[in-house]
Amino acid sequence: MFGAALTSFTTFFATVGPIEAAVLFAAFTSGVPIAQRRRIALRGVAIASLILMISTLAGGPLLRQLGVSIPALQTAGGIILLMIALDMVFARPTSVFKLSRPEGEEAQHKDDLAVFPLATPLLAGPGAMSAGILLAANAQGNTVELAMTIVALGVVMGLTLALLLLAHELSRYLGVTAQRVLMRVFGILLAAIAVEALFTGLAGSGLVPRG
């Protein structure tokens, strides 16, 4: 049970990217009054949490209705998370935590920053949604493990909110080097989780023998 909770926390932390989101949030809200920044952070985290909760609980059953098996879901999810992990390890500029130039320019002129880009795609992006679906699939109907996944998501989103509220202080004291070190550490952990999911999916499909 503890192992499932730790895996879920690490996966969500790596794919949601609270530290990276806080740094970008500080840039997007420079000059915004403190009270308004707090409202934006609270609303953004609430919306992102709802999106990820729905993805985690309903994504797997929806895919199964479409004829997608759990091994296929585990294999596909493992591949997606591995790609994200490689971006994190090598600190590529195309990382899922970055916005494209058009998205960044739109964000600078967007009235409701809580919805875009904060809630999505920064917090509840494709990687985080895929992670939730994969973790729920790995629970395989085990209510306790699924509950641990939801609790881990709640902890990560709570931590994300705290970092967003301290975003301007965080960006001031946390340099680029420290951010990249943390990203690489969690990238390595996420890569291991992704490969394990990939192996489990392949074994469940019968394409490779179970070890």
Side-chain angles (χ1 to χ4, degrees), residues 96-107:
V96 292
F97 301 122
K98 303 289 190 297
L99 293 178
S100 65
R101 180 172 296 179
E103 287 175 331
E105 292 174 353
E106 182 180 353

Side-chain angles (χ1 to χ4, degrees), residues 36-112:
Q36 187 176 350
R37 288 205 306 261
R38 289 175 178 169
R39 286 195 296 270
I40 292 172
L42 285 167
R43 188 159 181 258
V45 170
I47 294 171
S49 299
L50 180 62
I51 293 172
L52 293 177
M53 184 78 70
I54 293 174
S55 298
T56 301
L57 295 177
L62 177 61
L63 289 176
R64 284 195 292 274
Q65 288 296 319
L66 297 174
V68 179
S69 66
I70 289 181
L73 182 59
Q74 291 170 322
T75 303
I79 293 172
I80 292 173
L81 293 185
L82 182 59
M83 293 173 64
I84 295 172
L86 292 176
D87 273 352
M88 294 171 66
V89 171
F90 294 107
R92 294 173 181 167
T94 54
S95 170
V96 292
F97 301 122
K98 303 289 190 297
L99 293 178
S100 65
R101 180 172 296 179
E103 287 175 331
E105 292 174 353
E106 182 180 353
Q108 295 289 355
H109 302 91
K110 195 78 172 179
D111 292 330
D112 194 355

Side-chain angles (χ1 to χ4, degrees), residues 9-208:
F9 175 83
T10 303
T11 304
F12 278 127
F13 190 92
T15 52
V16 172
I19 296 175
E20 296 81 5
V23 173
L24 290 173
F25 179 73
F28 292 142
T29 57
S30 60
V32 176
I34 295 177
Q36 187 176 350
R37 288 205 306 261
R38 289 175 178 169
R39 286 195 296 270
I40 292 172
L42 285 167
R43 188 159 181 258
V45 170
I47 294 171
S49 299
L50 180 62
I51 293 172
L52 293 177
M53 184 78 70
I54 293 174
S55 298
T56 301
L57 295 177
L62 177 61
L63 289 176
R64 284 195 292 274
Q65 288 296 319
L66 297 174
V68 179
S69 66
I70 289 181
L73 182 59
Q74 291 170 322
T75 303
I79 293 172
I80 292 173
L81 293 185
L82 182 59
M83 293 173 64
I84 295 172
L86 292 176
D87 273 352
M88 294 171 66
V89 171
F90 294 107
R92 294 173 181 167
T94 54
S95 170
V96 292
F97 301 122
K98 303 289 190 297
L99 293 178
S100 65
R101 180 172 296 179
E103 287 175 331
E105 292 174 353
E106 182 180 353
Q108 295 289 355
H109 302 91
K110 195 78 172 179
D111 292 330
D112 194 355
L113 294 174
V115 178
F116 176 87
L118 183 56
T120 181
L122 283 181
L123 300 180
M129 288 188 280
S130 299
I133 295 172
L134 175 61
L135 290 169
N138 287 341
Q140 296 183 346
N142 188 313
T143 306
V144 175
E145 286 194 14
L146 183 58
M148 289 296 100
T149 298
I150 299 301
V151 169
L153 173 60
V155 171
V156 169
M157 299 311 292
L159 180 59
T160 300
L161 177 59
L163 291 176
L164 291 179
L165 294 176
L166 298 172
H168 287 261
E169 291 77 7
L170 180 67
S171 63
R172 189 179 305 120
Y173 293 109
L174 187 62
V176 175
T177 301
Q179 294 175 42
R180 289 183 176 177
V181 168
L182 288 172
M183 184 182 295
R184 284 184 169 92
V185 169
F186 277 96
I188 293 171
L189 294 174
L190 183 62
I193 293 170
V195 171
E196 183 64 32
L198 184 58
F199 286 170
T200 301
L202 291 174
S205 69
L207 296 176
V208 295

